[in-house]
Amino acid sequence: STPLYSSAASDVYKRQNYDSFDSALRDAPRLMKAGPTSIETIDSHVLELAMNDIVWQEVAEYFPAENIEQIKGMNLVEYTAETKEELSAGLSQLIDVLKSTDAATGCVGHGLAMGDDAVKKIWGMRKKAVGLLGNAKGEARPIPFVEDTAVPPENLADFIAEFRAILDSHNLSYGMFGHVDAGVLHVRPAI
């Protein structure tokens, strides 16, 4: 069962955790079939930086501690609605999509955050990604290298796999995050 953290109906985030960033990217087109308002994604590097920052204190309650080490990618599926009924309908549609496939998605957990306060905390962590990357230790600094990939969402996982292979071949540290539903990711390699 998924815990409810607030009863307000205006906004909800359904969080899907994955065993790899690639799994998160590959599952996003399936999640889009549920008609969410948006789907944001973050990779393990950005998530690790968040967990070591004060911002984590605001969102830790939404992440089960027992499997936090397994999370290597995350999709934040957002729904907004005018009424609780509309919000429930959106969540029901997502649950139907999640149940409709037997495919191994790499999902290692999920959670639910409801209401403006809860969602603002989750958004706060996601928005802080740029600052977290910029505060990384060492001389290398993440630079705004590719700010908006603009790749069709159904092709994004393959594009990013090739992109990551290039960055990895140069032993670069990097963080990736963005609007997976629109195929727009931000890539910040540390140079």
Side-chain angles (χ1 to χ4, degrees):
S1 67
T2 303
L4 236 61
Y5 296 103
S6 171
S7 61
S10 63
D11 214 354
V12 64
Y13 256 115
K14 175 77 167 123
R15 173 185 43 78
Q16 295 287 116
N17 301 327
Y18 297 88
D19 60 2
S20 71
F21 188 50
D22 185 67
S23 294
L25 294 175
R26 292 195 185 282
D27 198 32
R30 180 177 72 111
L31 299 175
M32 288 169 39
K33 293 176 184 175
T37 304
S38 68
I39 304 175
E40 295 287 314
T41 192
I42 57 174
D43 72 359
S44 60
H45 185 66
V46 174
L47 182 61
E48 183 180 328
L49 290 170
M51 287 191 293
N52 291 309
D53 187 81
I54 195 164
V55 72
W56 193 252
Q57 293 174 10
E58 294 180 19
V59 298
E61 68 182 286
Y62 306 111
F63 298 89
E66 66 271 4
N67 73 346
I68 198 74
E69 316 80 42
Q70 296 174 320
I71 302 172
K72 305 298 180 199
M74 183 179 298
N75 286 331
L76 302 169
V77 183
E78 182 180 27
Y79 284 89
T80 57
E82 296 295 322
T83 66
K84 287 184 180 185
E85 292 76 21
E86 288 177 37
L87 192 59
S88 292
L91 286 174
S92 293
Q93 192 172 353
L94 178 61
I95 291 167
D96 289 345
V97 166
L98 294 173
K99 289 179 179 178
S100 70
T101 182
D102 294 325
T105 62
C107 185
V108 295
H110 61 273
L112 185 67
M114 292 190 75
D116 282 347
D117 289 341
V119 171
K120 283 178 184 174
K121 289 176 185 178
I122 299 289
W123 259 114
M125 179 189 71
R126 162 50 186 93
K127 287 181 179 179
K128 198 167 180 186
V130 173
L132 290 171
L133 285 167
N135 289 333
K137 294 179 181 173
E139 291 183 29
R141 288 282 146 238
I143 60 168
F145 184 64
V146 173
E147 278 306 289
D148 295 309
T149 55
V151 175
E154 63 273 12
N155 300 332
L156 188 60
D158 290 337
F159 174 82
I160 291 299
E162 290 179 26
F163 199 147
R164 290 179 73 178
I166 292 168
L167 294 173
D168 291 344
S169 74
H170 293 283
N171 297 315
L172 292 173
S173 174
Y174 53 88
M176 295 186 178
F177 56 94
H179 323 283
V180 70
D181 58 324
V184 177
L185 291 190
H186 311 291
V187 181
R188 298 271 172 124
I191 296 177

